[in-house]
Amino acid sequence: MPRKSPLIIGHRGAPGYRPEHSRSSYELAFALGVDAVEPDVVATKDGVLVIRHENEISGTTDVAQHPEFADRRTTKRIDGEKLTGWFTEDFTWAELSTLRVRERLPRVRTSSATFDDAQPILRLPDLLEMISAASAEHGREIGLVLEVKHATYFEGIGLDLVPLIERDLRAGGWAAGELPLVIESFESTVLDRLRETGIAASFIYLIEASGKPFDLVTSMGPEAPDYASAVTPEGLDALRADGISVNKRMLLQPGNTIVPDAHARGLRVFTWTCRPENQFLSPRFRAGGGKAAFGDYEGEWRVIADTGVDGVFVDHPDLGVAFFR
């Protein structure tokens, strides 16, 4: 019996072709046939949820070219990592709305970089409206896979993301279970709190290939369990979520049993991120031509597909749809 094809999730839209999290990135992902799109949300100082991969925005916006914001450049420690730049929580939405988005990897994705400085940052409600409109336009139900970023950090500075997310999902009609909603995070505690709000969603625990989750490090210190322990049989037994989303390197390790172990417990498994460029491929699938050239991505993706994974995050939705579906 043929296996069901995995959910094709446009990772930040279609960032292989357009600057990530831009309006055109999402519109292209819809047109190329994704089942769902994945935004990341962080907060402004006045409690607006904006769609950025992280709260430090110097690499994906033109903020450095705005002299009126020069004094906002600062150094902070985010989830244990020291970062210097501009941070969303130091701006109001009115201020952030004056910025324009940029390609994160201009040397690798040169074509995408030609769209720099043309589009504003999106808020979560903006994208919710876009998904609803695109579902009607394309004649299929398009889902939302919402990633919550830096929840412990934001709560620590007085910007609790949980009520902000609940507010926007309820206002947009996404909280009652009538639309396909997944909420994911690298921090299990925020997933627990969001479930307690009564939002009808699948809750997915994001798992890195190494390291420890920041929320547990904050509460438990050195005794905090690492991510790897979450995919052991014992870790999966204790999981308080509907599934996991793992770094693809974990599925590419020979002999791993992550997917069958999770499925045996009724859990879904997603993986991230399927990209065709040499820079992002496992070494054995790379080809000539430099970092930006496409390697044997189909060879890598075949290994991933053969695990029986339930969902894949892709940067090039057309390639993902053509291969996995």
Side-chain angles (χ1 to χ4, degrees):
M1 182 182 220
R3 221 181 239 137
K4 183 181 177 183
S5 64
L7 200 70
I8 310 300
I9 305 163
H11 179 241
R12 312 177 201 172
Y17 303 114
R18 301 288 188 274
E20 64 182 46
H21 292 317
S22 64
R23 178 174 290 272
S24 65
S25 182
Y26 286 108
E27 289 175 342
L28 184 57
F30 302 145
L32 293 178
V34 297
D35 298 305
V37 291
E38 182 250 10
D40 308 283
V41 290
V42 293
T44 66
K45 70 190 299 182
D46 52 347
V48 174
L49 290 176
V50 293
I51 299 176
R52 293 285 89 198
H53 181 251
E54 60 276 303
N55 55 330
E56 201 288 292
I57 55 173
S58 61
T60 59
T61 74
D62 64 350
V63 64
Q65 275 59 59
H66 284 252
E68 68 273 25
F69 300 139
D71 62 349
R72 308 283 177 93
R73 188 172 187 268
T74 188
T75 298
K76 302 187 181 190
R77 190 166 291 277
I78 310 297
D79 294 2
E81 181 180 358
K82 188 176 180 180
L83 297 175
T84 297
W86 287 264
F87 298 83
T88 60
E89 66 268 22
D90 296 330
F91 294 81
T92 64
W93 165 244
E95 292 170 330
L96 280 186
S97 69
T98 67
L99 304 183
R100 296 297 178 265
V101 300
R102 289 185 169 181
E103 169 56 43
R104 176 190 296 278
L105 303 165
R107 294 183 181 180
V108 175
R109 294 174 171 171
T110 55
S111 178
S112 176
T114 64
F115 293 87
D116 282 0
D117 302 339
Q119 302 168 80
I121 293 173
L122 294 172
R123 298 166 295 181
L124 179 56
D126 298 328
L127 181 58
L128 298 181
E129 292 177 3
M130 289 175 62
I131 296 172
S132 297
S135 295
E137 177 185 354
H138 296 288
R140 68 181 194 279
E141 194 170 56
I142 300 171
L144 173 69
V145 181
L146 179 66
E147 182 174 348
V148 185
K149 300 304 291 273
H150 310 304
T152 298
Y153 167 78
F154 275 110
E155 186 179 6
I157 61 170
L159 281 168
D160 187 355
L161 298 183
V162 170
L164 305 181
I165 292 169
E166 182 184 9
R167 175 198 67 196
D168 286 358
L169 291 178
R170 291 197 185 282
W174 282 82
E178 297 175 0
L179 298 170
L181 173 63
V182 173
I183 300 177
E184 60 178 8
S185 179
F186 287 101
E187 302 179 55
S188 59
T189 51
V190 74
L191 296 180
D192 293 339
R193 294 184 59 220
L194 283 164
R195 189 190 291 274
E196 290 169 359
T197 67
I199 292 171
S202 291
F203 293 89
I204 302 291
Y205 186 33
L206 283 160
I207 297 174
E208 264 289 10
S210 61
K212 296 182 176 184
F214 185 68
D215 57 336
L216 300 185
V217 170
T218 300
S219 63
M220 301 172 66
E223 301 303 314
D226 60 13
Y227 280 116
S229 66
V231 297
T232 64
E234 296 77 16
L236 293 172
D237 285 338
L239 189 71
R240 301 185 310 275
D242 301 302
I244 56 176
S245 184
V246 299
N247 187 312
K248 69 174 183 178
R249 296 202 303 269
M250 302 171 77
L251 297 186
L252 292 170
Q253 292 175 357
N256 84 84
T257 58
I258 292 171
V259 175
D261 286 348
H263 284 174
R265 292 158 175 82
L267 302 170
R268 303 168 76 186
V269 183
F270 296 166
T271 194
W272 45 275
T273 302
C274 291
R275 296 162 165 145
E277 297 105 335
N278 282 321
Q279 176 171 332
F280 304 112
L281 292 173
S282 178
R284 70 182 186 272
F285 296 107
R286 293 172 189 163
K291 293 182 178 181
F294 286 9
D296 180 20
Y297 67 89
E298 291 187 336
E300 182 181 274
W301 294 5
R302 170 54 53 203
V303 175
I304 291 170
D306 285 347
T307 67
V309 72
D310 303 295
V312 292
F313 292 85
V314 297
D315 280 7
H316 300 70
D318 55 336
L319 303 183
V321 167
F323 182 84
F324 288 104
R325 198 179 289 160

